[in-house]
Amino acid sequence: IWGEVAAKGEWKKYDWTVKVDADAVFLPNRLKMHLDKLRVPLGSRVYIENVNYQFKFMGALEVLTREALEVYLARSKECIRGKHEGGEDFFMKG
C-alpha cells in the first residue's frame, strides 16, 4: 500500500498520514484531539506509538508526520528482510 501512497503523492499536502486497516475501528475525531494535545513541532519526524507491545507500533493503525513518512518512503528498500517480527510497522520503528 505504501508504494501506492507514494506514487499518488497526496500525503505531501498534509501534516499527518493515517493508514487504517479495513477491519479496524477508527474514530478520526479522537485521533485529532490526541494529535492536537501532542503539539508536535512542525517538521518533526514522528510516528505515534499505538500499542504497549514490543516495538509499540502495530499495523492496524499507523500515524506518521509528513516528514516521518518521507523518510520511510525514501529508505524502505533498505529495510532488512528475513526473520523478524512485523512488517513495515517493524521497519518504521527502526
Side-chain angles (χ1 to χ4, degrees):
I1 188 81
W2 289 114
E4 294 173 35
V5 169
K8 209 166 187 186
E10 288 291 312
W11 62 274
K12 295 177 186 179
K13 298 178 185 177
Y14 303 97
D15 294 334
W16 294 92
T17 295
V18 180
K19 193 275 294 176
V20 183
D21 284 358
D23 61 348
V25 174
F26 177 56
L27 304 170
N29 289 337
R30 288 185 66 184
L31 176 61
K32 184 176 181 341
M33 288 187 326
H34 180 68
L35 295 177
D36 288 345
K37 286 180 188 177
L38 289 178
R39 302 181 54 92
V40 174
L42 191 62
S44 298
R45 297 173 181 166
V46 175
Y47 69 90
I48 303 300
E49 291 182 352
N50 59 15
V51 66
N52 191 20
Y53 177 74
Q54 291 185 346
F55 45 92
K56 299 187 182 210
F57 189 67
M58 301 299 259
L61 179 70
E62 297 173 359
V63 182
L64 302 98
T65 60
R66 176 179 40 245
E67 293 75 14
L69 184 54
E70 183 175 42
V71 170
Y72 175 73
L73 294 175
R75 301 191 64 191
S76 62
K77 302 232 183 316
E78 298 172 28
C79 296
I80 300 168
R81 302 293 178 209
K83 186 172 172 57
H84 61 82
E85 294 183 33
E88 84 276 354
D89 42 3
F90 173 82
F91 297 129
M92 286 180 176
K93 169 73 168 131

